[in-house]
Amino acid sequence: MERTQVTAGIVAYGGADEVAAAARSVAQHTQGVDLRLVVLDNASPDGAGKALAAMDWPENVQVECSDKNLGFGQGHNRIFRKLNSDGLSQYHAVINPDITLDSDAITAICGWMDQHPDVAMVTPRLLFPDGREQQTPKRFPSLVALAARQLRLPFLKKAEEHYLMLDEDLSQPTDVGFCSGCFFVMRSEVYQKMGGFDPRYFVYVEDADITRQALQYGRAVYLPLVSVYHAWHRDANKKLKNFLMQLGSMFKYWRKWGFKLF
């Protein structure tokens, strides 16, 4: 029986050790499908690209170094084009460099998608490294939701809970409006038809945008039956510069898809 062909990418910017741990984790635990993974260093100023390129890797893992920072989405688009230039894989996984696996999550997700052909993309349950739950499912972004996530004011708590779909039963597969870009699997045919991530986003909100694009081809689903670990550095919450970049991307999203207050 022919094995499922899966391509995957990790876009890195600094932190070679963390990137290497993520890539090795994915390669080690993905055994039920034929996986090809590219790690693309986005011109890291700390020399991470050279460090990664000098490491020994399994045959199905490649390291590439960009001579400039392409941004998150453009970096993943470059990986997809490279891995699918000689024939389209069945699925493509977008993976953050702060992800680690302890099970064959990619095979499990692809198997579930095989059984649900109306689904275009899937994001799994996300856990902190210590096992605490992260809030993965989201509705479409709104101004109030963004404020609630950043400001953490008591009177915005209900708005945040609604945005995070905490008013839904999330113990079963659930349709969502926003798949987290830190880890999702998409049908390669859909990724190719869309042209991947919109290049107008350098970083932030491109995952919300690509989910909206994918919803034109099928469902986007949160799959709690499968879990991965995510360190979740949340730079936008720590640095003003990053928050302003996130805000700029959010306005690009609203210009494209329509403004949403609540």
Side-chain angles (χ1 to χ4, degrees):
M1 185 176 177
E2 188 174 342
R3 283 160 62 92
T4 301
Q5 302 296 307
V6 180
T7 53
I10 296 174
V11 172
Y13 187 73
D17 290 342
E18 182 177 60
V19 177
R24 294 190 193 285
S25 169
V26 171
Q28 175 187 351
H29 291 287
T30 307
Q31 300 295 325
V33 296
D34 280 343
L35 175 75
R36 291 179 294 140
L37 170 66
V38 165
V39 177
L40 174 67
D41 179 76
N42 241 347
S44 296
D46 66 353
K50 288 183 179 179
L52 290 165
M55 295 178 185
D56 291 327
W57 293 100
E59 287 186 4
N60 63 336
V61 179
Q62 296 176 261
V63 173
E64 287 205 350
C65 297
S66 174
D67 58 2
K68 64 178 182 179
N69 188 349
L70 303 171
F72 182 87
Q74 291 254 53
H76 277 289
N77 290 348
R78 172 171 159 172
I79 291 171
F80 181 85
R81 289 192 298 267
K82 176 181 176 61
L83 287 172
N84 289 276
S85 60
D86 295 328
L88 206 59
S89 61
Q90 290 162 267
Y91 297 103
H92 182 73
V94 168
I95 303 167
N96 255 26
D98 58 354
I99 290 285
T100 52
L101 308 186
D102 66 355
S103 64
D104 195 347
I106 292 177
T107 297
I109 292 172
C110 294
W112 189 87
M113 292 179 76
D114 284 344
Q115 297 171 11
H116 298 82
D118 60 331
V119 173
M121 67 187 299
V122 163
T123 191
R125 183 181 178 214
L126 299 179
L127 303 173
F128 286 103
D130 62 6
R132 287 179 296 127
E133 189 90 21
Q134 292 181 13
Q135 291 156 335
T136 311
K138 300 180 184 71
R139 292 187 164 93
F140 296 142
S142 69
L143 181 61
V144 171
L146 179 64
R149 294 289 281 161
Q150 295 295 336
L151 301 178
R152 305 286 181 173
L153 297 174
F155 70 90
L156 292 174
K157 185 173 177 59
K158 285 188 177 180
E160 182 181 20
E161 290 177 349
H162 178 73
Y163 173 59
L164 298 173
M165 303 183 69
L166 297 179
D167 47 4
E168 299 274 352
D169 177 10
L170 299 175
S171 64
Q172 298 298 320
T174 304
D175 284 57
V176 296
F178 180 168
C179 283
S180 173
C182 69
F183 193 108
F184 68 74
V185 177
M186 182 180 287
R187 296 186 189 277
S188 296
E189 182 181 15
V190 171
Y191 195 104
Q192 184 183 55
K193 285 179 178 178
M194 296 188 315
F197 286 96
D198 187 330
R200 287 174 289 185
Y201 299 87
F202 182 76
V203 68
Y204 299 122
V205 193
E206 67 283 298
D207 48 358
D209 180 87
I210 201 171
T211 306
R212 287 294 288 263
Q213 293 186 75
L215 285 168
Q216 298 176 81
Y217 298 89
R219 296 161 57 206
V221 173
Y222 165 65
L223 188 63
L225 315 174
V226 180
S227 59
V228 304
Y229 293 93
H230 177 217
W232 202 15
H233 300 305
R234 299 200 69 178
D235 285 339
N237 292 61
K238 299 175 183 177
K239 302 174 184 176
L240 178 61
K241 176 184 175 182
N242 295 79
F243 172 68
L244 293 175
M245 290 173 67
Q246 184 185 47
L247 192 60
S249 292
M250 195 75 258
F251 280 107
K252 290 178 185 176
Y253 175 90
W254 286 325
R255 281 197 298 269
K256 182 175 179 178
W257 298 106
F259 178 75
K260 193 171 187 292
L261 180 59
F262 294 101

